[in-house]
Amino acid sequence: MTNGQFKVERIALREWLVLSVLMLLLTAGLLFYKTLERADLVLYDRLMQINTRPARDDIIIVGIDSYSLSELGKWPWSRSRHAELIKKIDAAQPLAIGMDFVFTEAEDSNPEQTVNGDQAFANAITQSDKVVLPLISENAGKGLMTVRPIPILASAARQLAHINLELDKDGVVRSIFLREGMNGEWWPHFALALADLGKNITPGTETNLPGNRLAASLRNTPPEPGTWQRDYQMHIPFAGSSGHFRTVPYVAVLRGEVLPAFFKNKYVLVGPTASAMADSFPTPVSGNEGMISGVEINANVLAALLDKRSIVPAPLFYGLIFNLLAVGLAMSAYQLLSPRKALLATAAIATLAMAGSWLALRYLGYWVAPTATLLALIIAYPLWSWRRLEAAIRFLGEEFRVLDQEPHLLPEFVDQDEVQPARALTDTLEQSINAMREALDRVRDLRQFVSDSLVSLPDATLVTTTDGNVLLSNQPAIDYFASIGMAKVNDALVPYLFAKMAPPEHAQESSFSWWNILDIQHTKAMSQGIEVRDPQDKDMLIKSAPCYNGDKQLVGWIVSLIDITSVRAAERSRDETLHFISHDMRAPQASILALLELQKDSATALPTEEFMSRIEKASRSTLGLADNFVQLARAESQNYRYEEADFQDILLVATEEMWSLAKNKNIRITTQIQEEEFPVLVDRSLMTRVLTNLLSNAIKYSPRDTTITCSLTSEQHLADATIICSIADQGYGITRADQNKLFQRFQRFKTNEQPKNDGVGLGMVFVKAVLDRHQAHIDFTSTPNEGTTFHIRIPADLD
């Protein structure tokens, strides 16, 4: 290790230690001063929304909902009605009944009632002996005071309890106090009173109540008169949002629509759930609903008490351990891992911190806020990456300044728009960056030049070592060798890549070797190229050329493969066409000239009618040949005129055109078409010519007094459909040896049994070319002396 490297590592370690200490101090400060309290509450609410659990079956809410208000009239209702409700519920022997609305004023007397409403309500409460009534605290201008239900109801209730909710700074209900009191008198929370009543526990004698207690010094100090006291602050582990607990309408219970057994051994909470009664509060689980009714909040508190669940904010000490450990682990990852892995580690630690906070909240009932960790990680990673990047730039700048002294291989062009005015003073960092930029641009240009030179070649090209090991290959080369089963090109030996190819036709097998491609003695022959046939029966031209370094030493080879299949196919097609023109098209013209010469001499002249007949026959033959060539050229061209049509119309037109030809041989053309439409998108004239060609062949190659049957059907395949046109004759058939050559140019077939027919062998080539352009397929079955059936399968136009 050099002194410079040791110095760089020592500086990096010192920077890491300084940054680590700063991040740990930042995390501790955020927790100690509660700087992120609002963010903690937001995250707490989000985790609570995914921390729901099934509602308890033994908690029932009798809701004063919109339906009950519409059925029974506006609030307040007669207390005689409440008395009747208490009687119906109590008849089912519930564990406890909580009336979650206050009765601080006496009901107005009604002359029509024989019994006062308050008295009737009090009698029902006394008879039940399971009813909890709420009390509240208020400031009426004379200081804080307790407001109880009217005396007749207060004395009848089994227990009085407070229904106060604790609102945080953001106005959200997240906690309650299980005990509140004044002047030495304490009252349990409404939900705690119901739980005590259901378990037959005397208020004030509960053990292991959840929540944070008041400090011992405050509990042991006599309170000042008129001071409201609170103890056992419990953060509510909400089971769910609005509508989570089973709720029945008040009016349904009053009318007896709910079976009495429904309330047996249940905790029944009666309270307003209608939004019009304004007894709703925002909670962590409200979400988009916004509010939850007070009676549903009390149901959540009661469920938590019965399940012995609560949420306890972790003490500062535990919060410090949790967050400092996560931040320290992240800082260790920054020092030990690469930037990419450090980023992944940062994301993983942040995710684990969130998951750990949620797991502690759900299963342990502890709330440990991870926001300090998240903020520290958001700050730490960019800072450390910046320091690493700066050190890397400094190091690379020094290295590239050395590279800048190397000779320039490519011409350099200066963009006048990017020329910066010279500065009198530049710092070291700027000098390093400039040197790095210039040297890197030259390396990039040289690499791009080499890469573009190879990639832009349209033919498959390989760059190899002197011993034939492939170093570089362009995409055409990779694709080609993959098509013949050679998945790996780079690092392969060239003779191995060409092992599946046939040797050149004119090469002697004993003297030829694929190593000749890399032999300097065969350079001249390989520069012109050798023709071979690959496993896919393609004609390939292989060339190779040596590569030399600056000292004229052989360092490798460039091997190229050129696909000349189309060139050879065009040459074969040209030869066939020339042969056809020189023979088939020349013969009728020669016949015409010969007839004209004979006609000049009266001794050899033919009768006029025979002469004209022979001239007409030769002319029609020439015209037919020319027409076949024109039609085939159009079929192979790009100018198709597609239009929507019904295939049965095209078939009927084709049969009409062939009627007279069939009539001459007394051949019947019949059609079998289903009663439906056959929509297609075709070039109508070309498709008609396809059908007439098939019908013409069927007529030519069938004996007299036979039948040609044309049928049209359709097949449905999921969302697609195919139209099938079949043309069956009773002709001479096609021998098995000729069937494979049916769609080749200039192929004409004849058996001893059938008469001679004129033709040049282009009709079926035309048929195949047109159908291919329509994405259609043609196949056939043929039996000699029994007939041939052609099947055209064309996609239906369903748009």
Side-chain angles (χ1 to χ4, degrees):
M1 179 182 295
T2 64
N3 291 334
Q5 291 175 325
F6 178 76
K7 183 178 179 181
V8 170
E9 290 189 1
R10 186 173 61 184
I11 293 174
L13 178 60
R14 184 174 60 192
E15 289 186 353
W16 175 78
L17 289 174
V18 171
L19 183 60
S20 298
V21 171
L22 289 177
M23 290 299 102
L24 293 174
L25 290 176
L26 173 64
T27 304
L30 293 174
L31 291 171
F32 186 80
Y33 292 104
K34 299 182 179 179
T35 309
L36 302 176
E37 185 176 6
R38 282 296 182 96
D40 292 342
L41 293 178
V42 172
L43 181 59
Y44 174 86
D45 293 348
R46 296 297 178 269
L47 294 180
M48 285 298 297
Q49 291 173 9
I50 61 175
N51 196 32
T52 59
R53 60 184 186 277
R56 289 181 62 98
D57 293 335
D58 57 354
I59 298 177
I60 306 297
I61 296 176
V62 177
I64 303 175
D65 53 5
S66 300
Y67 172 66
S68 298
L69 290 173
S70 64
E71 292 293 312
L72 301 178
K74 66 179 182 178
W75 185 264
W77 296 333
S78 169
R79 291 177 186 172
S80 298
R81 185 169 290 165
H82 297 326
E84 185 178 353
L85 179 77
I86 293 294
K87 292 178 181 178
K88 289 185 177 294
I89 296 175
D90 187 65
Q93 299 180 356
L95 295 175
I97 304 173
M99 304 294 290
D100 191 11
F101 38 85
V102 296
F103 302 94
T104 57
E105 296 179 356
E107 185 179 57
D108 295 335
S109 59
N110 188 346
E112 297 179 359
Q113 294 179 341
T114 57
V115 180
N116 180 266
D118 289 333
Q119 185 62 53
F121 191 23
N123 292 340
I125 293 174
T126 301
Q127 182 179 359
S128 172
D129 197 30
K130 297 178 182 178
V131 179
V132 177
L133 295 181
L135 54 80
I136 59 174
S137 61
E138 67 176 22
N139 191 337
K142 298 180 181 181
L144 198 63
M145 58 183 297
T146 304
V147 181
R148 305 168 185 248
I150 59 176
I152 188 174
L153 299 180
S155 60
R158 175 71 177 269
Q159 178 67 50
L160 298 181
H162 78 87
I163 54 173
N164 297 330
L165 302 173
E166 183 67 10
L167 299 179
D168 289 335
K169 294 180 181 179
D170 55 358
V172 178
V173 175
R174 296 184 179 89
S175 63
I176 51 96
F177 286 88
L178 292 178
R179 289 193 176 279
E180 296 190 8
M182 188 174 183
N183 299 330
E185 186 177 8
W186 292 86
W187 295 280
H189 185 268
F190 187 74
L192 178 59
L194 289 171
D196 289 346
L197 184 57
K199 296 179 180 179
N200 200 23
I201 298 175
T202 302
T205 63
E206 304 93 348
T207 57
N208 299 324
L209 283 180
N212 296 329
R213 295 217 62 188
L214 289 174
S217 59
L218 296 177
R219 293 199 306 269
N220 297 329
T221 302
E224 296 181 4
T227 302
W228 189 266
Q229 297 175 286
R230 299 184 297 179
D231 199 2
Y232 291 103
Q233 185 179 14
M234 172 186 171
H235 284 74
I236 308 170
F238 286 90
S241 185
S242 178
H244 188 68
F245 291 91
R246 287 192 295 175
T247 304
V248 295
Y250 184 105
V251 66
V253 179
L254 194 65
R255 292 173 177 173
E257 297 173 1
V258 180
L259 297 176
F262 184 70
F263 298 110
K264 185 176 179 61
N265 295 327
K266 302 290 195 307
Y267 295 90
V268 182
L269 286 78
V270 183
T273 58
S275 58
M277 299 190 69
D279 185 35
S280 300
F281 305 88
T283 67
V285 296
S286 300
N288 295 330
E289 299 169 4
M291 299 283 190
I292 298 180
S293 63
V295 67
E296 291 181 286
I297 296 176
N298 288 329
N300 276 279
V301 178
L302 176 58
L305 292 173
L306 296 176
D307 291 336
K308 296 182 180 181
R309 289 176 176 267
S310 65
I311 297 176
V312 179
L316 177 62
F317 176 74
Y318 293 108
L320 284 171
I321 292 178
F322 179 81
N323 287 275
L324 292 179
L325 181 62
V327 173
L329 184 62
M331 297 307 301
S332 300
Y334 297 164
Q335 177 66 7
L336 300 175
L337 303 177
S338 65
R340 180 178 63 85
K341 293 181 179 179
L343 177 60
L344 295 177
T346 301
I349 292 171
T351 303
L352 289 175
M354 291 282 292
S357 178
W358 178 76
L359 291 173
L361 180 67
R362 181 173 180 85
Y363 297 105
L364 302 179
Y366 277 92
W367 166 238
V368 185
T371 48
T373 295
L374 300 179
L375 181 60
L377 294 181
I378 291 174
I379 296 174
Y381 183 78
L383 284 177
W384 178 244
S385 298
W386 164 58
R387 295 307 304 163
R388 274 190 170 185
L389 181 61
E390 186 176 14
I393 290 176
R394 182 168 60 249
F395 173 76
L396 292 176
E398 296 174 357
E399 295 297 321
F400 276 113
R401 274 197 298 272
V402 176
L403 182 62
D404 187 47
Q405 300 175 3
E406 295 292 330
H408 301 176
L409 302 179
L410 296 176
E412 298 180 2
F413 302 93
V414 179
D415 190 347
Q416 297 297 328
D417 295 336
E418 296 182 358
V419 174
Q420 299 292 336
R423 297 183 181 179
L425 296 176
T426 56
D427 58 19
T428 304
L429 178 60
E430 187 172 357
Q431 293 176 3
S432 300
I433 293 175
N434 289 334
M436 179 184 66
R437 181 185 299 113
E438 293 175 3
L440 187 60
D441 286 343
R442 285 195 296 274
V443 173
R444 185 184 298 110
D445 292 342
L446 183 60
R447 181 200 62 79
Q448 191 65 39
F449 174 76
V450 175
S451 176
D452 290 347
S453 299
L454 180 63
V455 172
S456 61
L457 295 175
D459 300 316
T461 305
L462 308 173
V463 178
T464 76
T465 61
T466 54
D467 57 359
N469 193 49
V470 178
L471 295 176
L472 298 173
S473 57
N474 61 0
Q475 191 60 44
I478 296 174
D479 294 340
Y480 172 74
F481 284 107
S483 68
I484 63 173
M486 298 288 186
K488 185 178 181 181
V489 178
N490 290 349
D491 296 330
L493 288 174
V494 168
Y496 166 75
L497 294 176
F498 294 117
K500 294 184 177 181
M501 296 187 180
E505 294 182 0
H506 304 293
Q508 297 181 2
E509 295 185 3
S510 59
S511 62
F512 177 79
S513 171
W514 290 113
W515 289 102
N516 295 349
I517 298 175
L518 310 174
D519 192 341
I520 198 70
Q521 297 180 358
H522 295 82
T523 301
K524 183 177 180 180
M526 292 308 303
S527 64
Q528 297 177 355
I530 58 173
E531 292 189 27
V532 298
R533 182 65 64 89
D534 72 356
Q536 298 175 330
D537 288 333
K538 293 182 179 179
D539 295 311
M540 307 297 296
L541 182 65
I542 301 177
K543 295 183 178 183
S544 67
C547 296
Y548 299 94
N549 61 10
D551 297 330
K552 301 300 181 181
Q553 294 178 339
L554 182 66
V555 294
W557 295 83
I558 297 178
V559 181
S560 62
L561 293 87
I562 305 172
D563 187 352
I564 59 173
T565 304
S566 59
V567 175
R568 293 294 178 257
E571 292 177 352
R572 288 190 291 269
S573 178
R574 180 197 61 191
D575 294 341
E576 291 174 353
T577 302
L578 290 176
H579 174 74
F580 167 75
I581 293 175
S582 64
H583 182 269
D584 292 76
M585 291 196 69
R586 188 171 177 273
Q589 303 302 318
S591 298
I592 293 175
L593 292 175
L595 287 172
L596 291 174
E597 289 294 331
L598 292 174
Q599 202 67 16
K600 291 179 181 179
D601 188 352
S602 58
T604 59
L606 298 174
T608 303
E609 184 176 354
E610 182 182 356
F611 172 73
M612 296 300 295
S613 175
R614 290 179 179 272
I615 291 289
E616 179 184 6
K617 182 178 180 181
S619 300
R620 289 187 181 277
S621 177
T622 304
L623 183 61
L625 293 173
D627 184 56
N628 283 336
F629 260 104
V630 170
Q631 290 297 332
L632 181 59
R634 183 186 172 192
E636 294 176 345
S637 71
Q638 302 295 324
N639 300 322
Y640 274 53
R641 298 177 181 178
Y642 294 100
E643 60 180 294
E644 295 179 355
D646 192 328
F647 202 90
Q648 65 176 326
D649 294 339
I650 300 175
L651 179 60
L652 293 176
V653 169
T655 56
E656 286 295 327
E657 290 186 11
M658 293 294 103
W659 181 85
S660 59
L661 182 63
K663 187 67 175 178
N664 291 336
K665 295 181 67 175
N666 199 25
I667 293 177
R668 297 178 300 278
I669 300 178
T670 63
T671 57
Q672 297 177 359
I673 302 176
Q674 296 180 359
E675 293 295 332
E676 58 179 284
E677 294 183 352
F678 300 89
V680 289
L681 188 65
V682 296
D683 186 312
R684 182 185 290 269
S685 62
L686 289 178
M687 189 57 67
T688 303
R689 182 61 180 264
V690 166
L691 297 179
T692 56
N693 276 10
L694 293 176
L695 288 171
S696 175
N697 286 344
I699 295 170
K700 290 179 181 179
Y701 297 105
S702 295
R704 298 178 62 84
D705 301 318
T706 57
T707 301
I708 298 175
T709 303
C710 302
S711 62
L712 203 57
T713 60
S714 63
E715 290 182 355
Q716 188 73 30
H717 305 283
L718 299 179
D720 299 325
T722 301
I723 294 174
I724 302 173
C725 176
S726 301
I727 298 177
D729 61 45
Q730 298 173 336
Y732 306 108
I734 306 171
T735 64
R736 186 173 299 274
D738 292 334
Q739 289 181 6
N740 293 332
K741 300 183 292 182
L742 181 63
F743 297 104
Q744 297 179 10
R745 292 172 180 261
F746 310 115
Q747 297 294 327
R748 287 168 286 191
F749 312 110
K750 179 182 178 299
T751 62
N752 296 328
E753 294 80 7
Q754 67 188 63
K756 179 179 178 181
N757 285 293
D758 295 331
V760 294
L762 294 178
M764 296 307 295
V765 178
F766 168 83
V767 169
K768 187 68 167 59
V770 173
L771 293 179
D772 286 345
R773 291 293 299 275
H774 286 81
Q775 286 78 47
H777 303 281
I778 184 170
D779 57 76
F780 66 93
T781 58
S782 182
T783 302
N785 299 320
E786 292 186 12
T788 302
T789 301
F790 283 90
H791 303 283
I792 297 177
R793 306 175 191 274
I794 184 169
D797 182 22
L798 301 180
D799 296 338

